[in-house]
Amino acid sequence: MVVLCLACAHRPSSPGCSAGETLCWDFEEGRLPAGWTPHRDEFSGRLVVDDTRAHGGRYSLHASQLVGGREGEQGGPKKTVRFELPGDFGPVLWGRVFVYTTPARPASHAGLFNARYPRPGSDDGAFQALDWYEVATYQEKYMALWHPPEPPGFPEWVQVSDTPLVLDQWVCLEWLFDAANGEAPEAAEPRVWLDGVELAWPRKFVFSDPPTDTPPKREKARSFTVLETGVFLYQGLSVPTDWWLDDLAVGGQRVGCSPR
Ligand SMILES: [Ca+2]
């Protein structure tokens, strides 16, 4: 009992979201955490903090019953929230989130997290003026991207893994968006880990409409300014699908999947 009471005094106690990380959200407020605001809301479904499933504690961010549009056609359900980073965050963003997906793997591009920054030499901080990195799934596999400002968000650099989206269990997704990249002329390609194992990218290509073979120049960053999470389908989704996101964290150094 003594041990239990000592532990009770130390909130937050959610595993994987302990002190020392730059920014961390365990959703244990039971509602949208301070600083996060609703952003996209297209087609059917809801994005809410609720207690239907949690990785840690009681609550998580739940994208519930997303559906709308048709596979192979542009336009799909998008339910997201956004967060303005502190001004001194910097140009290197490590992140981590636990994700649970059910009941089926979408074929369409399903974004889960992105981070954005002003273009070189630009002071325009408007959301639609920002370069951005993204972690997503596509054709039932994990995917990572670099985009110019959205709209239109392309030509975009696309990396598709050979690792199928994991269903019906929690997984830890980690990413590194290195938009400083030392002395290299461009920002680094995104890197992603699944439960601590770095994903490989057997398919890399440029997507644009109309098509092009010329890859975008991945512009370097002074500092990331905005985060967006939730679920955003760029093509249709005919199977109502649920995602839960919990213990989201970002920082200038690797956060990892384990509690400290
Ligand atoms: Ca939680």
Side-chain angles (χ1 to χ4, degrees):
M1 281 309 289
V2 171
V3 172
L4 265 180
C5 288
L6 285 171
C8 289
H10 293 274
R11 223 208 76 74
S13 58
S14 186
C17 206
S18 46
E21 291 147 12
T22 304
L23 291 163
C24 188
W25 298 275
D26 62 11
F27 305 101
E28 294 306 300
E29 303 89 340
R31 55 187 163 78
L32 205 57
W36 288 92
T37 55
H39 187 54
R40 301 183 210 238
D41 185 6
E42 300 177 26
F43 287 95
S44 298
R46 300 174 68 211
L47 182 67
V48 289
V49 175
D50 70 18
D51 61 355
T52 54
R53 189 185 302 280
H55 172 262
R58 177 176 169 188
Y59 296 97
S60 66
L61 182 64
H62 180 196
S64 172
Q65 294 292 288
L66 268 57
V67 68
R70 279 197 234 173
E71 284 78 2
E73 294 182 7
Q74 292 300 308
K78 297 181 180 68
K79 310 285 168 179
T80 69
V81 290
R82 58 183 276 189
F83 181 87
E84 308 286 327
L85 286 166
D88 57 351
F89 187 89
V92 178
L93 188 143
W94 283 90
R96 182 240 21 232
V97 69
F98 291 85
V99 186
Y100 189 112
T101 310
T102 195
R105 299 178 178 92
S108 298
H109 174 173
L112 297 170
F113 175 89
N114 65 73
R116 303 185 188 225
Y117 56 89
R119 301 186 64 193
S122 171
D123 291 327
D124 190 346
F127 196 87
Q128 61 272 20
L130 306 176
D131 288 331
W132 51 299
Y133 282 93
E134 180 190 357
V135 176
T137 65
Y138 178 60
Q139 294 180 341
E140 308 188 5
K141 310 254 191 340
Y142 293 97
M143 175 169 74
L145 306 96
W146 186 93
H147 301 263
E150 177 191 29
F154 53 72
E156 64 191 14
W157 183 240
V158 185
Q159 306 176 171
V160 183
S161 80
D162 51 2
T163 301
L165 161 60
V166 176
L167 292 175
D168 299 317
Q169 65 184 73
W170 288 101
V171 293
C172 178
L173 272 182
E174 290 179 90
W175 54 86
L176 170 57
F177 301 159
D178 182 357
N181 203 19
E183 298 301 314
E186 297 187 27
E189 295 180 336
R191 297 172 66 183
V192 180
W193 291 256
L194 176 71
D195 289 335
V197 177
E198 186 165 7
L199 298 178
W201 312 108
R203 294 175 60 204
K204 294 184 180 183
F205 58 92
V206 183
F207 170 78
S208 194
D209 182 16
T212 176
D213 290 329
T214 306
K217 180 180 184 193
R218 290 189 304 275
E219 296 178 321
K220 299 180 85 166
R222 298 185 302 284
S223 184
F224 284 92
T225 56
V226 183
L227 312 178
E228 182 183 16
T229 193
V231 180
F232 38 107
L233 276 290
Y234 282 96
Q235 303 88 39
L237 179 64
S238 56
V239 177
T241 304
D242 280 48
W243 289 259
W244 288 263
L245 305 168
D246 203 0
D247 292 326
L248 170 65
V250 298
Q253 299 184 325
R254 191 169 186 176
V255 180
C257 297
S258 304
R260 301 208 169 174

